Amino acid sequence: MAKQLNSVDSDLIATLQARIKELEAENTRLLSQFADCQIQEMEKKLHGADAKETKSRKGNRKSGENITGYNSRFMVHHSKRYVALKVMYFGKRYYGFASEAQMEPTVESEIFKALEKTRLLVGDRKESQYSRCGRTDKGVSSVGQVIALFLRSNLKISGANDGSSEEIDLERQYEGEIDYVRVLNRVLPNDIRIMGWCPVPVNFHARFSCLSRQYKYFFWKENLNILEMESAGKKLIGEHDFRNFCKMDAANVHNYRRNITSLEMSPTDVRYGDNELWVIQIRGSAFLWHQVRCIVAILFMVGKGLESPNVIDMLLDTTSIPRKPQYTMASEVPLVLQSCEFEDIKFICSSDSGEALRVHLVNECQSYQLQAAIFHEALLNCVPLSDDQRPRDIKKKPSHVPVMLRPTEPSYEERHAKFDSKT
């Protein structure tokens, strides 16, 4: 009899546990729906009678001005939490990531427009404790940029409104939260996407908490000597003074020593005719302004046989070469900020948002492949050249001035002295 009762109790407990899981899942779904309703209801209240006036003034606003009629200060009484967002963007049409350049559009300005439109921003930008990991330049892309800021939250976390609580269990605070990836990706431009989010402690800083960054630079192999480029690249690994491999900012940067932990080259699976797409992967703790593009430019010279790999040693010897020789950086378009690494940061993305993200990226890939197919079709339909118009086998090599014989830029000391004299 006792055994039968124990069996009944076990079955009952299992049934109740299963029912609890079902109710928790249903609660999560309803909270997500409730968040969407809140956004719509707040939009009606905030716009309401002013909707027509807002519409009539829309065309007269300057670029970057609030176009939604939304004042983020209205949201300060809402719960908020400090969140890191992982961002991808195709940088070709943007004037860099940061919005301080006073040129539009920038990736950052588009993100803040989306944050305001979705009512996620609490307070102004300064109050949001905003930080970014990397400040990529005009035309540069990323699949792993990271930003951090306070965002509106569904969770009533004790102490979360001022970010002062040290007792928040970050690992348990996912269920019932706003799906930041889904909400933001609905309103962002097609070439910007949020890849994931993660709750972070309030002392987290997207730039200064970063342990390492990895960049990728894509290029067509053509006739480049990869072995020579790899030989030159190995000389860059380690901690060096890279002032001859960057655009110097003497007013703000006084230490040009950086540590490159790895530099590798490998082929991709993309080919076009006899040509093959390769990629340079560079990882380091931090990078100087235009450092990667300057490094790639010198590596290309080595790959073309215009410079010896030993040119790297000479440029790294800043005692002998304190002034950077003048040379053109590599193009910005093939450069990608691949990843930013942090301690104990694991980005998450709901299954629905992840599927929507994958579908969107597949569609974008197919769209660009269609464009490539049209250009390829045009190539096939070019008017054929006659025999006397065909290029001769003997090609005149372009003139190349060795890097060490070129005019030089002012040294750091000269730049800094000039800056001090003005101040």
Side-chain angles (χ1 to χ4, degrees):
M1 185 69 175
K3 290 183 178 180
Q4 289 179 340
L5 288 174
N6 289 335
S7 177
V8 171
D9 289 343
S10 298
D11 292 341
L12 181 60
I13 290 172
T15 302
L16 290 173
Q17 288 175 337
R19 181 56 179 161
I20 289 171
K21 289 182 179 180
E22 291 175 0
L23 291 172
E24 287 176 342
E26 179 68 9
N27 184 53
T28 300
R29 185 183 66 81
L30 292 173
L31 282 171
S32 180
Q33 290 181 353
F34 179 66
D36 289 341
C37 292
Q38 277 186 315
I39 291 173
Q40 295 172 8
E41 189 66 27
M42 286 163 46
E43 188 171 44
K44 291 178 183 177
K45 289 180 180 180
L46 290 170
H47 289 292
D50 297 330
K52 292 183 179 179
E53 183 183 356
T54 301
K55 186 176 182 180
S56 66
R57 295 186 311 215
K58 186 175 180 181
N60 298 324
R61 284 196 169 96
K62 296 180 181 179
S63 175
E65 193 174 333
N66 190 333
I67 62 173
T68 62
Y70 159 63
N71 187 342
S72 61
R73 298 192 68 83
F74 292 164
M75 308 293 293
V76 294
H77 63 284
H78 282 267
S79 293
K80 64 182 180 180
R81 73 187 312 175
Y82 203 46
V83 170
L85 300 176
K86 182 179 179 180
V87 187
M88 75 77 54
Y89 48 89
F90 186 58
K92 188 174 182 180
R93 75 180 184 94
Y94 295 103
Y95 288 93
F97 183 83
S99 57
E100 287 91 339
Q102 305 301 320
M103 298 288 287
E104 292 290 339
T106 65
V107 178
E108 200 169 66
S109 64
E110 293 295 332
I111 291 174
F112 272 89
K113 287 177 186 177
L115 289 169
E116 291 181 354
K117 189 172 183 178
T118 55
R119 311 296 192 263
L120 291 177
L121 194 62
V122 180
D124 59 24
R125 178 165 166 170
K126 185 177 181 180
E127 291 171 331
S128 71
Q129 202 172 313
Y130 173 76
S131 63
R132 68 176 90 90
C133 184
R135 180 173 174 164
T136 55
D137 297 311
K138 178 177 182 266
V140 177
S141 301
S142 174
V143 297
Q145 174 72 280
V146 174
I147 63 174
L149 74 171
F150 277 107
L151 295 180
R152 180 169 58 84
S153 172
N154 276 346
L155 304 182
K156 306 300 181 182
I157 306 173
S158 176
N161 282 334
D162 59 7
S164 61
S165 174
E166 299 293 338
E167 300 178 357
I168 300 173
D169 185 353
L170 299 177
E171 294 295 328
R172 295 191 297 109
Q173 302 299 335
Y174 294 111
E175 291 188 7
E177 184 55 284
I178 297 171
D179 190 339
Y180 297 113
V181 175
R182 178 178 59 85
V183 172
L184 285 170
N185 284 346
R186 281 179 172 178
V187 298
L188 282 167
N190 286 338
D191 48 8
I192 302 177
R193 278 296 179 270
I194 305 300
M195 308 284 281
W197 72 278
C198 178
V200 290
V202 293
N203 61 353
F204 176 86
H205 192 285
R207 178 184 175 190
F208 299 117
S209 298
C210 183
L211 301 177
S212 68
R213 300 158 175 86
Q214 178 172 293
Y215 284 89
K216 284 189 175 183
Y217 195 96
F218 293 91
F219 66 97
W220 292 103
K221 181 178 181 295
E222 297 180 332
N223 296 318
L224 292 172
N225 188 328
I226 299 296
L227 290 178
E228 287 286 272
M229 291 174 65
E230 288 177 331
S231 175
K234 290 177 181 178
K235 298 175 180 291
L236 294 162
I237 298 175
E239 184 177 324
H240 305 283
D241 189 320
F242 284 97
R243 68 182 64 194
N244 290 327
F245 291 92
C246 71
K247 186 172 181 179
M248 194 173 292
D249 181 12
N252 299 305
V253 180
H254 310 296
N255 179 14
Y256 291 86
R257 296 192 69 84
R258 295 294 185 271
N259 184 24
I260 292 181
T261 55
S262 67
L263 193 156
E264 299 175 348
M265 303 177 199
S266 58
T268 70
D269 58 358
V270 178
R271 301 185 68 91
Y272 188 80
D274 295 332
N275 213 346
E276 191 174 29
L277 189 67
W278 278 61
V279 63
I280 301 173
Q281 300 180 66
I282 305 178
R283 182 184 294 274
S285 55
F287 290 87
L288 297 163
W289 191 11
H290 293 325
Q291 182 180 346
V292 176
R293 291 171 61 191
C294 287
I295 286 174
V296 172
I298 297 297
L299 291 178
F300 282 169
M301 293 183 200
V302 173
K304 293 174 182 177
L306 303 174
E307 296 286 345
S308 163
N310 293 330
V311 71
I312 301 291
D313 297 314
M314 290 184 276
L315 290 173
L316 290 176
D317 185 0
T318 55
T319 302
S320 301
I321 312 293
R323 298 179 182 87
K324 176 190 172 187
Q326 295 177 1
Y327 57 88
T328 304
M329 294 184 297
S331 170
E332 71 278 7
V333 177
L335 180 59
V336 180
L337 175 56
Q338 178 71 17
S339 64
C340 305
E341 303 298 329
F342 301 87
E343 186 177 4
D344 298 328
I345 299 296
K346 295 180 181 179
F347 291 99
I348 63 168
C349 179
S350 69
S351 57
D352 289 344
S353 298
E355 181 60 25
L357 177 62
R358 281 186 286 272
V359 169
H360 172 79
L361 294 177
V362 167
N363 288 338
E364 290 296 298
C365 288
Q366 291 176 343
S367 175
Y368 281 102
Q369 286 175 339
L370 284 174
Q371 295 178 45
I374 294 170
F375 280 105
H376 181 70
E377 192 67 20
L379 181 63
L380 296 176
N381 284 273
C382 285
V383 176
L385 298 175
S386 60
D387 291 339
D388 58 345
Q389 291 177 315
R390 295 184 182 279
R392 298 180 179 179
D393 293 336
I394 301 175
K395 295 182 180 179
K396 184 179 179 181
K397 290 187 177 181
S399 59
H400 174 74
V401 178
V403 170
M404 291 304 157
L405 298 180
R406 298 187 184 190
T408 58
E409 299 176 0
S411 67
Y412 166 76
E413 290 75 19
E414 292 167 341
R415 291 175 188 265
H416 196 64
K418 184 177 181 180
F419 177 77
D420 287 343
S421 66
K422 291 182 179 180
T423 56

